[in-house]
Amino acid sequence: MSELLTSAQMRTVEQAAMAAGQGSGLDLMERAGRGAVDAVFEAWPELAQGARRALVICGPGNNGGDGFVIARLLHGRGWHVSLRLFGDPSSLPADARRNHDRWAELGAVEPVDGDLPEVDIVFDSLFGTGLTRPVEGQLAVFQKSLDGRYDDATKRVAVDLPSGLCADSGKVLGCALRADLTVTFHAAKPGQYLAHGPAHCGRVIVKPIGVDATPDGPIARLTEPPHSSVIDKTENAHKYAHGHVLVLSGGPGKTGAARLTARGALRIGAGLVTLGVPPDAAQEVASQITAIMQTTIADAAALGEQLEDDRLNVLALGPGLGTGEAQGALVETALGAGRLTVLDADALTLIGRAPGLFERLHEGCVLTPHAGEFARVFPNIAERLNADPTEGPAYSKIDATRDAAERAGCTVLFKGPDTVIAAPGGRAFVNSAQYARSAPWLGSAGTGDVLAGFVAGLLARGLEPLDAAATAARLHVDCALRFGPGLISEDLPETLPAVLRHLTR
């Protein structure tokens, strides 16, 4: 399941499931605890052999109730279990209190301020998705003591979320524990894939708890491998049936970025790609391209003349373009044409400077900013996103990208290891280059220019802006993973054919 459910959406699902007779609160707690134990044995099969030692740390809410179930199940397997509770047992929610009492018949419930035992595994069941305030004071001191007490030989498991991590944003509220494994329930949570989430979660396993209900509000989803039909060309069709992308280039010595964009667009399946080049850079570009075509575009007026050809259905501009007055006029003309348009790099800087250009954005545009460019175009949204959280759920990168898309009236692809793509109306995807899909070598000059080309090429092929951006982001990471370390930007388009060949038909 690719859904990412916020804390509020998860509560809605659980409440609806209980109302529909899919289980009581106690049933869901029992399933969660059993799922956590099963996940541990899946991750570390050696732990299933013989008795071990575990420390289970329970909090004052229902997440703590899951911990009591875990302790009881491990005790039933012959494990020696130490259990620590933060808070007063009499203040526990009813279902958690019942599981507390069941455990208390088997073993001791100790406060968190005692000496920590030698164990093989620690279960963090302090706080789950419902954390609304920073972890501080006595609990913060205890969490830091945990980090200092156990070395890498002791496995750490977070139940639903590492305590102190915001479920919606991946931001740390005060301080947060780090886990080797995070076992979450029914669906993954946005905070496990955003901001600091991956660094604290270690690895994420989703376990079902027997609920089936529709949450409220728009749902963000992880990108998934596209079906080959997204890329396959129509049989017996000519090149113009697969779209024509016009990429605007910068001047002499600054044409490489646009050439990367053009190459990306061509490789991903655009029927034709043309580079629009200033006259003084024409020879430089002509010596570097073969399959990509070239035309001279001296100024905004010349661009307007080129756009009289309706077969030019997609524009891509910004990489290496420049940020002078003449380039601002090119952006204005491009936006005025109303074509499908990818705006990256310098084009975003120009839009951030000129409110008049921002007002010309339309639903056929895709903006592809990194964090710095996002802050130039959407300074107020970026300020809110970058602020240290004082409560949860905190404002997330998904929230920020959705707000930016609404404000701009078009699709926004907010780059990073936790790339978020959103369109007006709330549809959103997270393209995570983390966990097993970590691709740190994408942090190299020019890779974003290729991504802009991938988006443009898919737009030319007929994909809607949000789907084109999400698919391009997914394939971008796929190419990096297939190539591996040593990747430079030129390698991405050349690796793409092998990636496309392996798509499921």
Side-chain angles (χ1 to χ4, degrees):
M1 180 187 293
S2 65
E3 292 181 346
L4 298 173
L5 299 189
T6 65
S7 54
Q9 288 172 327
M10 193 63 211
R11 283 194 299 274
T12 299
V13 166
E14 290 174 339
Q15 290 164 1
M18 288 187 285
Q22 295 173 12
S24 66
L26 273 175
D27 293 331
L28 302 190
M29 203 170 281
E30 187 74 18
R31 296 168 193 167
R34 191 170 298 279
V37 172
D38 290 345
V40 165
F41 294 149
E42 290 169 15
W44 299 295
E46 67 275 14
L47 292 181
Q49 308 303 315
R52 300 280 183 154
R53 299 163 300 169
L55 171 63
V56 182
I57 307 163
C58 296
N62 285 329
N63 193 253
D66 297 342
F68 293 122
V69 174
I70 292 167
R72 174 168 47 79
L73 293 173
L74 292 177
H75 181 276
R77 296 179 68 97
W79 283 43
H80 178 76
V81 180
S82 298
L83 188 141
R84 302 295 171 87
L85 172 63
F86 176 74
D88 182 353
S90 65
S91 300
L92 288 166
D95 292 332
R97 178 60 189 270
R98 289 185 65 180
N99 276 312
H100 164 276
D101 294 345
R102 293 184 70 185
W103 164 254
E105 295 174 0
L106 302 173
V109 177
E110 300 178 74
V112 295
D113 55 3
D115 291 337
L116 296 171
E118 286 284 347
V119 294
D120 302 295
I121 188 168
V122 176
F123 287 86
D124 165 19
S125 197
L126 274 165
F127 302 108
T129 60
L131 184 63
T132 59
R133 56 188 174 84
V135 174
E136 53 193 6
Q138 176 194 6
L139 189 54
V141 172
F142 172 70
Q143 289 198 167
K144 290 175 182 177
S145 72
L146 277 173
D147 285 334
R149 174 68 176 85
Y150 299 111
D151 59 21
D152 292 343
T154 302
K155 296 172 173 58
R156 305 176 188 213
V157 178
V159 180
D160 225 357
L161 283 162
S163 292
L165 189 74
C166 174
D168 291 8
S169 68
K171 295 179 180 180
V172 172
L173 297 172
C175 66
L177 292 173
R178 291 181 182 268
D180 302 304
L181 172 67
T182 296
V183 186
T184 196
F185 308 111
H186 179 66
K189 313 305 182 293
Q192 292 159 351
Y193 289 90
L194 301 175
H196 305 292
H200 284 267
C201 290
R203 174 188 173 194
V204 176
I205 292 180
V206 179
K207 281 293 182 180
I209 53 172
V211 298
D212 181 17
T214 302
D216 295 332
I219 300 170
R221 287 177 166 80
L222 292 170
T223 56
E224 295 183 315
H227 193 274
S228 62
S229 62
V230 170
I231 309 299
D232 287 343
K233 292 192 173 184
T234 306
E235 293 183 9
N236 302 319
H238 55 77
K239 56 183 177 287
Y240 282 104
H242 302 125
H244 188 172
V245 179
L246 175 63
V247 181
L248 298 187
S249 170
K254 297 181 179 179
T255 66
R259 286 188 277 113
L260 286 169
T261 301
R263 188 75 173 177
L266 192 64
R267 274 293 187 198
I268 211 162
L272 304 93
V273 179
T274 296
L275 272 163
V277 184
D280 53 357
Q283 186 172 353
E284 175 184 319
V285 172
S287 67
Q288 298 286 339
I289 61 174
T290 304
I292 296 164
M293 301 184 294
Q294 178 176 330
T295 189
T296 300
I297 296 180
D299 52 27
L303 174 59
E305 291 175 5
Q306 290 285 338
L307 294 178
E308 292 176 3
D309 183 350
D310 291 336
R311 294 176 298 180
L312 288 168
N313 65 327
V314 178
L315 305 178
L317 60 159
L321 184 66
T323 57
E325 184 177 342
Q327 287 76 33
L330 287 171
V331 174
E332 183 176 7
T333 299
L335 292 174
R339 307 284 170 85
L340 294 167
T341 304
V342 181
L343 297 147
D344 187 35
D346 290 343
L348 296 171
T349 297
L350 289 164
I351 289 168
R353 288 180 187 171
L357 291 179
F358 186 92
E359 295 303 320
R360 287 179 172 266
L361 294 171
H362 53 82
E363 63 182 3
C365 294
V366 178
L367 312 184
T368 59
H370 55 55
E373 292 158 350
F374 187 90
R376 289 174 209 143
V377 181
F378 307 102
N380 295 336
I381 297 175
E383 182 179 7
R384 184 179 177 191
L385 176 63
N386 295 331
D388 291 333
T390 58
E391 61 182 8
Y395 192 68
S396 74
K397 190 171 181 178
I398 295 174
D399 296 327
T401 310
R402 281 173 168 157
D403 287 348
E406 289 294 339
R407 186 173 297 181
C410 63
T411 297
V412 176
L413 186 158
F414 189 173
K415 292 184 286 196
D418 55 350
T419 292
V420 179
I421 310 101
R427 285 186 65 204
F429 291 95
V430 175
N431 185 66
S432 175
Q434 298 161 120
Y435 300 115
R437 287 180 58 77
S438 176
W441 40 90
L442 276 173
S444 177
T447 57
D449 304 324
V450 176
L451 175 59
F454 282 2
V455 177
L458 291 173
L459 287 172
R461 295 293 314 283
L463 272 68
E464 294 297 317
L466 179 66
D467 294 330
T471 302
R474 174 79 190 200
L475 293 172
H476 192 243
V477 175
D478 288 345
C479 290
L481 292 172
R482 186 172 185 87
F483 189 92
L487 173 86
I488 60 175
S489 54
E490 290 96 323
D491 299 320
L492 289 166
E494 308 319 306
T495 307
L496 181 62
V499 170
L500 298 181
R501 277 196 298 272
H502 285 81
L503 292 177
T504 302
R505 290 184 179 274

